[in-house]
Amino acid sequence: MAAWGERLAGVRGVLLDISGVLYDGGEGGGAPIPGSVEALARLKRSQLKVRFCTNESQKSRGDLVGMLRRLGFDISEGEVTAPAPATCLILKERGLRPHLLIHDGVRSEFDQIDTSNPNCVVIADAGDGFSYQNMNKAFQVLMELENPVLFSLGKGRYYKETSGLMLDVGPYTKALEYACGIEAEVVGKPSPEFFKSALREMRVEAHQAIMIGDDIVGDVSGAQRCGMRALQVRTGKFRPSDEHHPEVKADGYVGDLAEAVDLLLQHADK
Amino acid sequence: MAAWGERLAGVRGVLLDISGVLYDGGEGGGAPIPGSVEALARLKRSQLKVRFCTNESQKSRGDLVGMLRRLGFDISEGEVTAPAPATCLILKERGLRPHLLIHDGVRSEFDQIDTSNPNCVVIADAGDGFSYQNMNKAFQVLMELENPVLFSLGKGRYYKETSGLMLDVGPYTKALEYACGIEAEVVGKPSPEFFKSALREMRVEAHQAIMIGDDIVGDVSGAQRCGMRALQVRTGKFRPSDEHHPEVKADGYVGDLAEAVDLLLQHADK
């Protein structure tokens, strides 16, 4: 691999994943990853632009930011690109009224959205809300539409909580895709549109931006396919086999956010 | 299309789907499809061999037959090929101990099966049993196995009850396949092994047999891929678009079982 100076040259903006990079979720709200509170503070004092790009869809952006601030992170709602607000924009643009199969924690994001007489379905990580009855209702709504439209907030397979592996939204999206013979529109990483909207909001071109995440596919591959660079941290859902992924190679692998910030402050925008 | 005489020439045995052909399920046990009780009686009085080939996996074979007899159908347990008994044979042959994600109504079929310390998962149409908790448990069992083995009792997308369309096991199998990165072994239609076991039990060669079903993929395509002929009835889950399916063309489309039997008695085995 080239030297870090070469790999990070010209970086002007940093997109940060949240879960697994800033903190680990779990019972009682989770805990910061050691060094990440201070690393984020240093990054924000630098010349580099910073934005957060998350697939979190069990919590509203306000609740997520409130939780992170209580953990000590310097973050505000306006700095976060998240699937639920992005979906609301799309629904408004296209005049769509969703049936919502979502977690109660994120329902407030859709307060301004007309959900009467639905003409599409929005599915997000609903956790225990993925009952047979709720899945069947979403299925029936889709089957009654002439052109069934399904939005999936991310398409992750599973995530890790302190209690063990938990099914994410992806398997349930696959279930509805198979049941209805359709393909969902994914809002969230690794969708290129989602990364592009984060870049627009940060006002940085793709070739001047770098993504830092723990997911070799959702974060690293997704960002690279948009023309960005990407670092993978060895925290969160990172697995050693990720460094030998058959198709994806990060622009660098670092121990954690603190190491990534050290390298960026030393080498970026030179 | 050729004349019926040509299409049905040489048929000696008839495989009948049950749900959507004989009766429609639903509240209170469902109701016979008009004309089907009498049509089955006529068919069984003829020279043609008859066997039932179902993906029913919410009920034991005994309960299914009891219900059908109460509705007036001439049917006995020994005439039915069903996924749960077929799965038990496979589990015993391969020395596997399943974690069962199944409906309580079919649990008695597995009474003789060792389910301690599971080394595979069996998924069947569990209906309301498809809770997030139950799905997550099956997922966790699979993820803890070195070689995860998943048996799916059928892979249907959905079925029709009097109250509307209901998700079948297939979408939930897809969900676990995606979550674990594996492929399930299907026991039931349209698996060729399953049709072949029904043909063996009926003692008729594939080219002399015809399947009558309401499912363009599970019944019609599955039977045709085994060398059988297949009729689709316009009852049960039939949809008008099935007659223009991009890949599957039935050997004939008929209004209901009564019409199918009329045609068979007129033209088969000539």
Side-chain angles (χ1 to χ4, degrees), chain A residues 127 132 135-136 139-140 143 155 157 165-167 171-172 175 178, chain B residues 127 132 135-136 140 155 157-158 165-167 171-172 174-175 178 239:
Chain A
Y132 182 72
M135 280 290 285
N136 212 50
F139 162 68
Q140 289 174 343
M143 290 299 274
K155 207 169 180 178
R157 293 173 164 201
L165 298 182
M166 307 291 282
L167 288 169
Y172 287 93
Y178 178 72
Chain B
Y132 182 72
M135 280 291 285
N136 214 48
Q140 290 173 344
K155 207 169 180 177
R157 293 172 165 202
Y158 56 86
L165 299 181
M166 306 291 281
L167 287 169
Y172 286 92
K174 279 281 171 191
Y178 178 72
R239 294 168 69 129

PDB file of all heavy atoms in Angstrom, chain A residues 127 132 135-136 139-140 143 155 157 165-167 171-172 175 178, chain B residues 127 132 135-136 140 155 157-158 165-167 171-172 174-175 178 239:
ATOM      1  N   GLY A 127     -37.507  -4.292  14.949  1.00  0.00           N
ATOM      2  CA  GLY A 127     -37.272  -5.139  16.127  1.00  0.00           C
ATOM      3  C   GLY A 127     -38.490  -6.007  16.412  1.00  0.00           C
ATOM      4  O   GLY A 127     -39.006  -6.678  15.512  1.00  0.00           O
ATOM      5  N   TYR A 132     -45.802 -11.361  12.850  1.00  0.00           N
ATOM      6  CA  TYR A 132     -46.435 -11.897  11.640  1.00  0.00           C
ATOM      7  C   TYR A 132     -47.547 -10.969  11.172  1.00  0.00           C
ATOM      8  O   TYR A 132     -47.682 -10.679   9.984  1.00  0.00           O
ATOM      9  CB  TYR A 132     -46.990 -13.296  11.910  1.00  0.00           C
ATOM     10  CG  TYR A 132     -47.622 -13.911  10.683  1.00  0.00           C
ATOM     11  CD1 TYR A 132     -46.831 -14.341   9.621  1.00  0.00           C
ATOM     12  CD2 TYR A 132     -49.001 -14.046  10.572  1.00  0.00           C
ATOM     13  CE1 TYR A 132     -47.393 -14.895   8.479  1.00  0.00           C
ATOM     14  CE2 TYR A 132     -49.573 -14.608   9.434  1.00  0.00           C
ATOM     15  CZ  TYR A 132     -48.766 -15.030   8.397  1.00  0.00           C
ATOM     16  OH  TYR A 132     -49.326 -15.572   7.266  1.00  0.00           O
ATOM     17  N   MET A 135     -46.059  -7.853   9.487  1.00  0.00           N
ATOM     18  CA  MET A 135     -45.471  -8.188   8.182  1.00  0.00           C
ATOM     19  C   MET A 135     -46.573  -8.465   7.170  1.00  0.00           C
ATOM     20  O   MET A 135     -46.510  -8.053   6.013  1.00  0.00           O
ATOM     21  CB  MET A 135     -44.568  -9.421   8.322  1.00  0.00           C
ATOM     22  CG  MET A 135     -43.197  -9.122   8.870  1.00  0.00           C
ATOM     23  SD  MET A 135     -42.158  -8.186   7.689  1.00  0.00           S
ATOM     24  CE  MET A 135     -41.746  -9.511   6.526  1.00  0.00           C
ATOM     25  N   ASN A 136     -47.614  -9.186   7.615  1.00  0.00           N
ATOM     26  CA  ASN A 136     -48.695  -9.543   6.710  1.00  0.00           C
ATOM     27  C   ASN A 136     -49.466  -8.300   6.248  1.00  0.00           C
ATOM     28  O   ASN A 136     -49.877  -8.199   5.099  1.00  0.00           O
ATOM     29  CB  ASN A 136     -49.642 -10.517   7.412  1.00  0.00           C
ATOM     30  CG  ASN A 136     -50.259 -11.496   6.453  1.00  0.00           C
ATOM     31  OD1 ASN A 136     -49.543 -12.113   5.678  1.00  0.00           O
ATOM     32  ND2 ASN A 136     -51.559 -11.595   6.472  1.00  0.00           N
ATOM     33  N   PHE A 139     -47.434  -6.626   3.618  1.00  0.00           N
ATOM     34  CA  PHE A 139     -47.546  -7.456   2.413  1.00  0.00           C
ATOM     35  C   PHE A 139     -48.867  -7.194   1.701  1.00  0.00           C
ATOM     36  O   PHE A 139     -48.927  -6.995   0.475  1.00  0.00           O
ATOM     37  CB  PHE A 139     -47.414  -8.927   2.823  1.00  0.00           C
ATOM     38  CG  PHE A 139     -47.912  -9.918   1.827  1.00  0.00           C
ATOM     39  CD1 PHE A 139     -47.263 -10.092   0.615  1.00  0.00           C
ATOM     40  CD2 PHE A 139     -49.035 -10.698   2.099  1.00  0.00           C
ATOM     41  CE1 PHE A 139     -47.717 -11.014  -0.314  1.00  0.00           C
ATOM     42  CE2 PHE A 139     -49.492 -11.626   1.183  1.00  0.00           C
ATOM     43  CZ  PHE A 139     -48.836 -11.775  -0.028  1.00  0.00           C
ATOM     44  N   GLN A 140     -49.955  -7.165   2.470  1.00  0.00           N
ATOM     45  CA  GLN A 140     -51.271  -6.962   1.858  1.00  0.00           C
ATOM     46  C   GLN A 140     -51.380  -5.579   1.210  1.00  0.00           C
ATOM     47  O   GLN A 140     -51.967  -5.434   0.135  1.00  0.00           O
ATOM     48  CB  GLN A 140     -52.373  -7.151   2.901  1.00  0.00           C
ATOM     49  CG  GLN A 140     -52.539  -8.616   3.321  1.00  0.00           C
ATOM     50  CD  GLN A 140     -53.520  -8.803   4.458  1.00  0.00           C
ATOM     51  OE1 GLN A 140     -53.863  -7.858   5.172  1.00  0.00           O
ATOM     52  NE2 GLN A 140     -53.971 -10.035   4.655  1.00  0.00           N
ATOM     53  N   MET A 143     -49.561  -5.806  -2.093  1.00  0.00           N
ATOM     54  CA  MET A 143     -50.242  -6.630  -3.106  1.00  0.00           C
ATOM     55  C   MET A 143     -51.482  -5.936  -3.661  1.00  0.00           C
ATOM     56  O   MET A 143     -51.959  -6.309  -4.738  1.00  0.00           O
ATOM     57  CB  MET A 143     -50.632  -7.982  -2.505  1.00  0.00           C
ATOM     58  CG  MET A 143     -49.447  -8.881  -2.224  1.00  0.00           C
ATOM     59  SD  MET A 143     -48.476  -9.325  -3.689  1.00  0.00           S
ATOM     60  CE  MET A 143     -49.397 -10.759  -4.261  1.00  0.00           C
ATOM     61  N   LYS A 155     -30.237  -2.106   4.466  1.00  0.00           N
ATOM     62  CA  LYS A 155     -30.535  -3.504   4.118  1.00  0.00           C
ATOM     63  C   LYS A 155     -29.574  -4.437   4.850  1.00  0.00           C
ATOM     64  O   LYS A 155     -29.202  -5.495   4.350  1.00  0.00           O
ATOM     65  CB  LYS A 155     -30.455  -3.694   2.601  1.00  0.00           C
ATOM     66  CG  LYS A 155     -31.327  -4.820   2.106  1.00  0.00           C
ATOM     67  CD  LYS A 155     -31.457  -4.832   0.606  1.00  0.00           C
ATOM     68  CE  LYS A 155     -32.346  -5.980   0.155  1.00  0.00           C
ATOM     69  NZ  LYS A 155     -32.536  -5.995  -1.312  1.00  0.00           N
ATOM     70  N   ARG A 157     -27.909  -7.188   7.326  1.00  0.00           N
ATOM     71  CA  ARG A 157     -28.343  -8.540   7.667  1.00  0.00           C
ATOM     72  C   ARG A 157     -28.618  -8.671   9.160  1.00  0.00           C
ATOM     73  O   ARG A 157     -29.617  -9.248   9.568  1.00  0.00           O
ATOM     74  CB  ARG A 157     -27.250  -9.537   7.317  1.00  0.00           C
ATOM     75  CG  ARG A 157     -27.001  -9.658   5.843  1.00  0.00           C
ATOM     76  CD  ARG A 157     -25.792 -10.537   5.600  1.00  0.00           C
ATOM     77  NE  ARG A 157     -25.754 -10.963   4.232  1.00  0.00           N
ATOM     78  CZ  ARG A 157     -25.080 -12.016   3.793  1.00  0.00           C
ATOM     79  NH1 ARG A 157     -24.387 -12.745   4.650  1.00  0.00           N
ATOM     80  NH2 ARG A 157     -25.085 -12.343   2.536  1.00  0.00           N
ATOM     81  N   LEU A 165     -26.305 -11.616  18.513  1.00  0.00           N
ATOM     82  CA  LEU A 165     -26.640 -11.156  17.165  1.00  0.00           C
ATOM     83  C   LEU A 165     -28.154 -10.973  17.039  1.00  0.00           C
ATOM     84  O   LEU A 165     -28.936 -11.777  17.541  1.00  0.00           O
ATOM     85  CB  LEU A 165     -26.164 -12.167  16.129  1.00  0.00           C
ATOM     86  CG  LEU A 165     -24.662 -12.433  16.070  1.00  0.00           C
ATOM     87  CD1 LEU A 165     -24.337 -13.435  14.959  1.00  0.00           C
ATOM     88  CD2 LEU A 165     -23.880 -11.134  15.851  1.00  0.00           C
ATOM     89  N   MET A 166     -28.536  -9.907  16.350  1.00  0.00           N
ATOM     90  CA  MET A 166     -29.954  -9.588  16.177  1.00  0.00           C
ATOM     91  C   MET A 166     -30.242  -9.360  14.694  1.00  0.00           C
ATOM     92  O   MET A 166     -29.489  -8.653  14.008  1.00  0.00           O
ATOM     93  CB  MET A 166     -30.305  -8.292  16.923  1.00  0.00           C
ATOM     94  CG  MET A 166     -29.913  -8.280  18.387  1.00  0.00           C
ATOM     95  SD  MET A 166     -30.909  -9.412  19.374  1.00  0.00           S
ATOM     96  CE  MET A 166     -32.417  -8.459  19.551  1.00  0.00           C
ATOM     97  N   LEU A 167     -31.360  -9.895  14.208  1.00  0.00           N
ATOM     98  CA  LEU A 167     -31.767  -9.681  12.817  1.00  0.00           C
ATOM     99  C   LEU A 167     -32.020  -8.206  12.564  1.00  0.00           C
ATOM    100  O   LEU A 167     -32.728  -7.548  13.325  1.00  0.00           O
ATOM    101  CB  LEU A 167     -33.045 -10.464  12.510  1.00  0.00           C
ATOM    102  CG  LEU A 167     -32.914 -11.986  12.395  1.00  0.00           C
ATOM    103  CD1 LEU A 167     -34.303 -12.617  12.353  1.00  0.00           C
ATOM    104  CD2 LEU A 167     -32.120 -12.370  11.164  1.00  0.00           C
ATOM    105  N   PRO A 171     -33.182  -8.896   6.228  1.00  0.00           N
ATOM    106  CA  PRO A 171     -33.913 -10.149   6.040  1.00  0.00           C
ATOM    107  C   PRO A 171     -35.419  -9.933   5.853  1.00  0.00           C
ATOM    108  O   PRO A 171     -36.054 -10.622   5.039  1.00  0.00           O
ATOM    109  CB  PRO A 171     -33.623 -10.914   7.339  1.00  0.00           C
ATOM    110  CG  PRO A 171     -32.286 -10.393   7.771  1.00  0.00           C
ATOM    111  CD  PRO A 171     -32.283  -8.943   7.392  1.00  0.00           C
ATOM    112  N   TYR A 172     -35.990  -8.981   6.551  1.00  0.00           N
ATOM    113  CA  TYR A 172     -37.427  -8.718   6.420  1.00  0.00           C
ATOM    114  C   TYR A 172     -37.756  -8.036   5.089  1.00  0.00           C
ATOM    115  O   TYR A 172     -38.821  -8.270   4.506  1.00  0.00           O
ATOM    116  CB  TYR A 172     -37.932  -7.925   7.625  1.00  0.00           C
ATOM    117  CG  TYR A 172     -38.003  -8.805   8.858  1.00  0.00           C
ATOM    118  CD1 TYR A 172     -36.942  -8.892   9.751  1.00  0.00           C
ATOM    119  CD2 TYR A 172     -39.111  -9.617   9.075  1.00  0.00           C
ATOM    120  CE1 TYR A 172     -36.994  -9.743  10.854  1.00  0.00           C
ATOM    121  CE2 TYR A 172     -39.179 -10.469  10.167  1.00  0.00           C
ATOM    122  CZ  TYR A 172     -38.121 -10.525  11.052  1.00  0.00           C
ATOM    123  OH  TYR A 172     -38.176 -11.386  12.125  1.00  0.00           O
ATOM    124  N   ALA A 175     -37.817 -10.754   2.649  1.00  0.00           N
ATOM    125  CA  ALA A 175     -39.065 -11.516   2.776  1.00  0.00           C
ATOM    126  C   ALA A 175     -40.174 -10.856   1.954  1.00  0.00           C
ATOM    127  O   ALA A 175     -40.875 -11.523   1.189  1.00  0.00           O
ATOM    128  CB  ALA A 175     -39.475 -11.627   4.246  1.00  0.00           C
ATOM    129  N   TYR A 178     -39.527 -11.122  -1.847  1.00  0.00           N
ATOM    130  CA  TYR A 178     -39.848 -12.457  -2.374  1.00  0.00           C
ATOM    131  C   TYR A 178     -41.364 -12.660  -2.424  1.00  0.00           C
ATOM    132  O   TYR A 178     -41.904 -13.169  -3.416  1.00  0.00           O
ATOM    133  CB  TYR A 178     -39.201 -13.515  -1.491  1.00  0.00           C
ATOM    134  CG  TYR A 178     -39.495 -14.937  -1.894  1.00  0.00           C
ATOM    135  CD1 TYR A 178     -38.924 -15.484  -3.042  1.00  0.00           C
ATOM    136  CD2 TYR A 178     -40.343 -15.737  -1.134  1.00  0.00           C
ATOM    137  CE1 TYR A 178     -39.187 -16.788  -3.413  1.00  0.00           C
ATOM    138  CE2 TYR A 178     -40.601 -17.058  -1.502  1.00  0.00           C
ATOM    139  CZ  TYR A 178     -40.029 -17.576  -2.644  1.00  0.00           C
ATOM    140  OH  TYR A 178     -40.297 -18.869  -3.006  1.00  0.00           O
TER     141      TYR A 178
ATOM    142  N   GLY B 127     -47.230 -19.181  10.831  1.00  0.00           N
ATOM    143  CA  GLY B 127     -48.275 -18.181  11.062  1.00  0.00           C
ATOM    144  C   GLY B 127     -47.836 -17.184  12.120  1.00  0.00           C
ATOM    145  O   GLY B 127     -46.741 -16.624  12.048  1.00  0.00           O
ATOM    146  N   TYR B 132     -40.662 -11.852  15.951  1.00  0.00           N
ATOM    147  CA  TYR B 132     -39.247 -11.455  15.851  1.00  0.00           C
ATOM    148  C   TYR B 132     -38.394 -12.345  16.746  1.00  0.00           C
ATOM    149  O   TYR B 132     -37.317 -12.805  16.350  1.00  0.00           O
ATOM    150  CB  TYR B 132     -39.075  -9.991  16.240  1.00  0.00           C
ATOM    151  CG  TYR B 132     -37.643  -9.515  16.109  1.00  0.00           C
ATOM    152  CD1 TYR B 132     -37.070  -9.326  14.853  1.00  0.00           C
ATOM    153  CD2 TYR B 132     -36.852  -9.278  17.226  1.00  0.00           C
ATOM    154  CE1 TYR B 132     -35.761  -8.898  14.719  1.00  0.00           C
ATOM    155  CE2 TYR B 132     -35.535  -8.851  17.107  1.00  0.00           C
ATOM    156  CZ  TYR B 132     -34.996  -8.667  15.841  1.00  0.00           C
ATOM    157  OH  TYR B 132     -33.694  -8.252  15.709  1.00  0.00           O
ATOM    158  N   MET B 135     -37.968 -15.832  15.156  1.00  0.00           N
ATOM    159  CA  MET B 135     -37.079 -15.752  13.984  1.00  0.00           C
ATOM    160  C   MET B 135     -35.637 -15.549  14.434  1.00  0.00           C
ATOM    161  O   MET B 135     -34.706 -16.151  13.895  1.00  0.00           O
ATOM    162  CB  MET B 135     -37.515 -14.597  13.078  1.00  0.00           C
ATOM    163  CG  MET B 135     -38.675 -14.929  12.185  1.00  0.00           C
ATOM    164  SD  MET B 135     -38.222 -16.132  10.884  1.00  0.00           S
ATOM    165  CE  MET B 135     -37.289 -15.065   9.764  1.00  0.00           C
ATOM    166  N   ASN B 136     -35.441 -14.683  15.421  1.00  0.00           N
ATOM    167  CA  ASN B 136     -34.086 -14.384  15.887  1.00  0.00           C
ATOM    168  C   ASN B 136     -33.458 -15.618  16.530  1.00  0.00           C
ATOM    169  O   ASN B 136     -32.256 -15.861  16.385  1.00  0.00           O
ATOM    170  CB  ASN B 136     -34.143 -13.228  16.890  1.00  0.00           C
ATOM    171  CG  ASN B 136     -32.929 -12.348  16.797  1.00  0.00           C
ATOM    172  OD1 ASN B 136     -32.538 -11.956  15.692  1.00  0.00           O
ATOM    173  ND2 ASN B 136     -32.306 -12.073  17.923  1.00  0.00           N
ATOM    174  N   GLN B 140     -30.059 -17.331  15.363  1.00  0.00           N
ATOM    175  CA  GLN B 140     -28.916 -17.537  16.256  1.00  0.00           C
ATOM    176  C   GLN B 140     -28.459 -18.999  16.261  1.00  0.00           C
ATOM    177  O   GLN B 140     -27.257 -19.273  16.282  1.00  0.00           O
ATOM    178  CB  GLN B 140     -29.261 -17.064  17.676  1.00  0.00           C
ATOM    179  CG  GLN B 140     -29.373 -15.545  17.774  1.00  0.00           C
ATOM    180  CD  GLN B 140     -29.873 -15.065  19.127  1.00  0.00           C
ATOM    181  OE1 GLN B 140     -30.425 -15.844  19.907  1.00  0.00           O
ATOM    182  NE2 GLN B 140     -29.699 -13.785  19.409  1.00  0.00           N
ATOM    183  N   LYS B 155     -41.854 -23.579  -0.095  1.00  0.00           N
ATOM    184  CA  LYS B 155     -41.243 -22.249  -0.203  1.00  0.00           C
ATOM    185  C   LYS B 155     -42.258 -21.290  -0.827  1.00  0.00           C
ATOM    186  O   LYS B 155     -41.901 -20.366  -1.549  1.00  0.00           O
ATOM    187  CB  LYS B 155     -39.957 -22.316  -1.025  1.00  0.00           C
ATOM    188  CG  LYS B 155     -38.972 -21.228  -0.648  1.00  0.00           C
ATOM    189  CD  LYS B 155     -37.603 -21.463  -1.263  1.00  0.00           C
ATOM    190  CE  LYS B 155     -36.662 -20.355  -0.856  1.00  0.00           C
ATOM    191  NZ  LYS B 155     -35.299 -20.554  -1.352  1.00  0.00           N
ATOM    192  N   ARG B 157     -44.939 -18.383  -1.525  1.00  0.00           N
ATOM    193  CA  ARG B 157     -44.908 -16.954  -1.199  1.00  0.00           C
ATOM    194  C   ARG B 157     -46.048 -16.573  -0.268  1.00  0.00           C
ATOM    195  O   ARG B 157     -45.871 -15.865   0.700  1.00  0.00           O
ATOM    196  CB  ARG B 157     -45.030 -16.132  -2.479  1.00  0.00           C
ATOM    197  CG  ARG B 157     -43.844 -16.272  -3.397  1.00  0.00           C
ATOM    198  CD  ARG B 157     -44.143 -15.580  -4.713  1.00  0.00           C
ATOM    199  NE  ARG B 157     -42.929 -15.398  -5.469  1.00  0.00           N
ATOM    200  CZ  ARG B 157     -42.775 -14.499  -6.425  1.00  0.00           C
ATOM    201  NH1 ARG B 157     -43.787 -13.695  -6.748  1.00  0.00           N
ATOM    202  NH2 ARG B 157     -41.644 -14.381  -7.064  1.00  0.00           N
ATOM    203  N   TYR B 158     -47.235 -17.012  -0.623  1.00  0.00           N
ATOM    204  CA  TYR B 158     -48.417 -16.643   0.163  1.00  0.00           C
ATOM    205  C   TYR B 158     -49.558 -17.567  -0.208  1.00  0.00           C
ATOM    206  O   TYR B 158     -49.485 -18.299  -1.195  1.00  0.00           O
ATOM    207  CB  TYR B 158     -48.823 -15.189  -0.090  1.00  0.00           C
ATOM    208  CG  TYR B 158     -49.080 -14.860  -1.532  1.00  0.00           C
ATOM    209  CD1 TYR B 158     -50.325 -15.065  -2.107  1.00  0.00           C
ATOM    210  CD2 TYR B 158     -48.079 -14.341  -2.339  1.00  0.00           C
ATOM    211  CE1 TYR B 158     -50.570 -14.772  -3.428  1.00  0.00           C
ATOM    212  CE2 TYR B 158     -48.300 -14.047  -3.676  1.00  0.00           C
ATOM    213  CZ  TYR B 158     -49.545 -14.261  -4.211  1.00  0.00           C
ATOM    214  OH  TYR B 158     -49.783 -13.986  -5.532  1.00  0.00           O
ATOM    215  N   LEU B 165     -55.002 -12.422   1.576  1.00  0.00           N
ATOM    216  CA  LEU B 165     -53.723 -13.092   1.322  1.00  0.00           C
ATOM    217  C   LEU B 165     -52.893 -13.154   2.601  1.00  0.00           C
ATOM    218  O   LEU B 165     -52.867 -12.203   3.385  1.00  0.00           O
ATOM    219  CB  LEU B 165     -52.944 -12.342   0.237  1.00  0.00           C
ATOM    220  CG  LEU B 165     -53.609 -12.241  -1.133  1.00  0.00           C
ATOM    221  CD1 LEU B 165     -52.699 -11.484  -2.108  1.00  0.00           C
ATOM    222  CD2 LEU B 165     -53.940 -13.614  -1.685  1.00  0.00           C
ATOM    223  N   MET B 166     -52.216 -14.269   2.810  1.00  0.00           N
ATOM    224  CA  MET B 166     -51.411 -14.483   4.010  1.00  0.00           C
ATOM    225  C   MET B 166     -50.006 -14.918   3.602  1.00  0.00           C
ATOM    226  O   MET B 166     -49.844 -15.786   2.734  1.00  0.00           O
ATOM    227  CB  MET B 166     -52.019 -15.596   4.866  1.00  0.00           C
ATOM    228  CG  MET B 166     -53.484 -15.401   5.230  1.00  0.00           C
ATOM    229  SD  MET B 166     -53.740 -14.035   6.374  1.00  0.00           S
ATOM    230  CE  MET B 166     -53.257 -14.818   7.922  1.00  0.00           C
ATOM    231  N   LEU B 167     -48.983 -14.366   4.261  1.00  0.00           N
ATOM    232  CA  LEU B 167     -47.608 -14.767   3.995  1.00  0.00           C
ATOM    233  C   LEU B 167     -47.414 -16.237   4.324  1.00  0.00           C
ATOM    234  O   LEU B 167     -47.800 -16.700   5.398  1.00  0.00           O
ATOM    235  CB  LEU B 167     -46.636 -13.936   4.840  1.00  0.00           C
ATOM    236  CG  LEU B 167     -46.440 -12.481   4.426  1.00  0.00           C
ATOM    237  CD1 LEU B 167     -45.658 -11.739   5.512  1.00  0.00           C
ATOM    238  CD2 LEU B 167     -45.713 -12.378   3.090  1.00  0.00           C
ATOM    239  N   PRO B 171     -41.241 -16.461   2.278  1.00  0.00           N
ATOM    240  CA  PRO B 171     -40.602 -15.187   2.635  1.00  0.00           C
ATOM    241  C   PRO B 171     -39.732 -15.300   3.891  1.00  0.00           C
ATOM    242  O   PRO B 171     -38.657 -14.689   3.944  1.00  0.00           O
ATOM    243  CB  PRO B 171     -41.797 -14.259   2.861  1.00  0.00           C
ATOM    244  CG  PRO B 171     -42.870 -14.825   1.981  1.00  0.00           C
ATOM    245  CD  PRO B 171     -42.680 -16.308   2.027  1.00  0.00           C
ATOM    246  N   TYR B 172     -40.170 -16.084   4.862  1.00  0.00           N
ATOM    247  CA  TYR B 172     -39.385 -16.225   6.092  1.00  0.00           C
ATOM    248  C   TYR B 172     -38.132 -17.084   5.867  1.00  0.00           C
ATOM    249  O   TYR B 172     -37.091 -16.859   6.484  1.00  0.00           O
ATOM    250  CB  TYR B 172     -40.266 -16.771   7.218  1.00  0.00           C
ATOM    251  CG  TYR B 172     -41.221 -15.706   7.721  1.00  0.00           C
ATOM    252  CD1 TYR B 172     -42.493 -15.569   7.205  1.00  0.00           C
ATOM    253  CD2 TYR B 172     -40.788 -14.782   8.661  1.00  0.00           C
ATOM    254  CE1 TYR B 172     -43.343 -14.555   7.638  1.00  0.00           C
ATOM    255  CE2 TYR B 172     -41.624 -13.772   9.105  1.00  0.00           C
ATOM    256  CZ  TYR B 172     -42.903 -13.667   8.583  1.00  0.00           C
ATOM    257  OH  TYR B 172     -43.723 -12.645   9.003  1.00  0.00           O
ATOM    258  N   LYS B 174     -36.538 -17.062   2.991  1.00  0.00           N
ATOM    259  CA  LYS B 174     -35.656 -16.099   2.312  1.00  0.00           C
ATOM    260  C   LYS B 174     -34.958 -15.207   3.327  1.00  0.00           C
ATOM    261  O   LYS B 174     -33.783 -14.859   3.176  1.00  0.00           O
ATOM    262  CB  LYS B 174     -36.467 -15.220   1.361  1.00  0.00           C
ATOM    263  CG  LYS B 174     -36.764 -15.869   0.045  1.00  0.00           C
ATOM    264  CD  LYS B 174     -35.555 -15.802  -0.881  1.00  0.00           C
ATOM    265  CE  LYS B 174     -35.779 -16.651  -2.122  1.00  0.00           C
ATOM    266  NZ  LYS B 174     -34.566 -16.834  -2.913  1.00  0.00           N
ATOM    267  N   ALA B 175     -35.696 -14.792   4.346  1.00  0.00           N
ATOM    268  CA  ALA B 175     -35.125 -13.912   5.372  1.00  0.00           C
ATOM    269  C   ALA B 175     -33.945 -14.601   6.068  1.00  0.00           C
ATOM    270  O   ALA B 175     -32.869 -14.007   6.217  1.00  0.00           O
ATOM    271  CB  ALA B 175     -36.202 -13.523   6.389  1.00  0.00           C
ATOM    272  N   TYR B 178     -30.925 -15.001   3.677  1.00  0.00           N
ATOM    273  CA  TYR B 178     -30.176 -13.739   3.503  1.00  0.00           C
ATOM    274  C   TYR B 178     -29.376 -13.408   4.761  1.00  0.00           C
ATOM    275  O   TYR B 178     -28.203 -13.027   4.689  1.00  0.00           O
ATOM    276  CB  TYR B 178     -31.160 -12.611   3.185  1.00  0.00           C
ATOM    277  CG  TYR B 178     -30.526 -11.250   3.022  1.00  0.00           C
ATOM    278  CD1 TYR B 178     -29.755 -10.947   1.899  1.00  0.00           C
ATOM    279  CD2 TYR B 178     -30.697 -10.250   3.980  1.00  0.00           C
ATOM    280  CE1 TYR B 178     -29.176  -9.694   1.742  1.00  0.00           C
ATOM    281  CE2 TYR B 178     -30.129  -8.994   3.824  1.00  0.00           C
ATOM    282  CZ  TYR B 178     -29.378  -8.721   2.710  1.00  0.00           C
ATOM    283  OH  TYR B 178     -28.804  -7.481   2.556  1.00  0.00           O
ATOM    284  N   ARG B 239     -54.255 -16.019 -10.079  1.00  0.00           N
ATOM    285  CA  ARG B 239     -54.450 -14.623 -10.483  1.00  0.00           C
ATOM    286  C   ARG B 239     -54.439 -14.580 -12.002  1.00  0.00           C
ATOM    287  O   ARG B 239     -53.674 -15.317 -12.646  1.00  0.00           O
ATOM    288  CB  ARG B 239     -53.336 -13.731  -9.924  1.00  0.00           C
ATOM    289  CG  ARG B 239     -53.361 -13.621  -8.402  1.00  0.00           C
ATOM    290  CD  ARG B 239     -52.109 -12.983  -7.881  1.00  0.00           C
ATOM    291  NE  ARG B 239     -52.057 -11.563  -8.250  1.00  0.00           N
ATOM    292  CZ  ARG B 239     -51.825 -10.574  -7.385  1.00  0.00           C
ATOM    293  NH1 ARG B 239     -51.609 -10.835  -6.112  1.00  0.00           N
ATOM    294  NH2 ARG B 239     -51.801  -9.331  -7.771  1.00  0.00           N
TER     295      ARG B 239
END
